[in-house]
Amino acid sequence: MTSLLDPPPELGHDSLAPAGVQAVHIASLLTDYFWISALVFVLVMGAFVIALVRRGSADEPEKTEASPEALRPKRRAVAGATAVTAVMLVIMLVMSVVTGHALAAISKQDAIQIEVTGRKWWWQFEYADADPSKIITTSWEVHVPVGRPVELTLKSADVIHSFWVPSLDGKRDAIPGKRSTLVLRADRPGRYEGQCAEFCGTQHANMRFVIVAESQEAYDAWRMRALTPARAPADPLTQKGQDVFMKSRCQVCHTIAGTDARGAVGPPLTHVGSQKRLVQGTVPNDRGHLGGWIVDPNGIKPGVAMPANPLAPEDLQALLAYLGSLQ
């Protein structure tokens, strides 16, 4: 018996293990293309072997010139192969078009609206809501209810990125100055890994995210937690850590709900202590890696915009205690 507190299973990213209706269509098309390509390969290799055998046959004398009658069978074979190739290409085109229409036909009724912004090198997810106080912004985990469509509006703040969750849908580019949409639906619970699929710089491979598909009840519970302001410091150490955060340049780039930190340059940190991983999944969320990230970001993720923060040891420990308390 599972409960709302049970975490969804880790399902990784695998286009051959579809977990959404779009991914099923794409996997089916991939399977059909594979068998058609395998058939073409076998036929071509068979013709190649036959040609080698005939050419190497000692019983057939070499001919310097061939009569029209001798060339006629070869011409027919070439014409037949060309016709078969054209038919196969038409079939594959029709299959692709049918799959494209199936992907576009998914219902958007009651869809969750999320604006996705690609940045070097992290994703910003903003859950739309008519009430501005209920807008949620995340950067690593994207929570969605199972069986409910999610409409993503994609854009980029710098260079071209490409949003891809192999187990749920195909790729869609996020282009500067242009908006595009992608609708996906997770049909079973799980944690589905996604990533940028368009080379965008030195940390392209570390531009990742996770879609957490869960029951509607679990999703509603997550929304309530996400809308809760950050926990106030409960002891002198975490109070000092908050003071360090607010008096440093951290609050210029990051947001912590319930405080005066309203920076929008970097990911929000309101509940950073509850995340499993940091820096778009690059390192685990523990005191050692968090401290290393704060002091020397480029040592963990070379090329990032976050500057080094040479804090005194006591200030760093207090800041780590405060950030760890933000559950």
Side-chain angles (χ1 to χ4, degrees), residues 138-166:
T138 68
S139 64
W140 167 239
E141 290 187 344
V142 187
H143 288 250
V144 301
V146 172
R148 185 174 172 185
V150 179
E151 184 173 9
L152 305 171
T153 301
L154 306 172
K155 63 179 184 176
S156 172
D158 34 59
V159 299
I160 297 177
H161 302 285
S162 187
F163 186 91
W164 187 32
V165 192

Side-chain angles (χ1 to χ4, degrees), residues 281-306:
T282 306
V283 295
N285 187 3
D286 55 44
R287 288 176 70 91
H289 287 96
L290 180 57
W293 173 248
I294 293 172
V295 174
D296 184 19
N298 276 270
I300 293 178
K301 198 170 183 179
V304 296
M306 180 173 168

Side-chain angles (χ1 to χ4, degrees), residues 12 23 28 30 60 93 111 145 160 187 205 232 242 277-278 281 288 303 306 311:
S28 176
L30 175 62
E60 184 177 347
L93 174 62
I160 297 177
D187 291 331
Q242 186 185 59
R277 302 189 67 83
L278 299 169
M306 180 173 168
L311 299 174

Side-chain angles (χ1 to χ4, degrees), residues 35 43 50 83 90 148 152 223 227 245 287 301 327:
W35 288 114
L43 293 176
I50 292 173
V90 171
R148 185 174 172 185
L152 305 171
R223 278 193 61 91
L227 290 170
F245 185 93
R287 288 176 70 91
K301 198 170 183 179
Q327 300 290 327

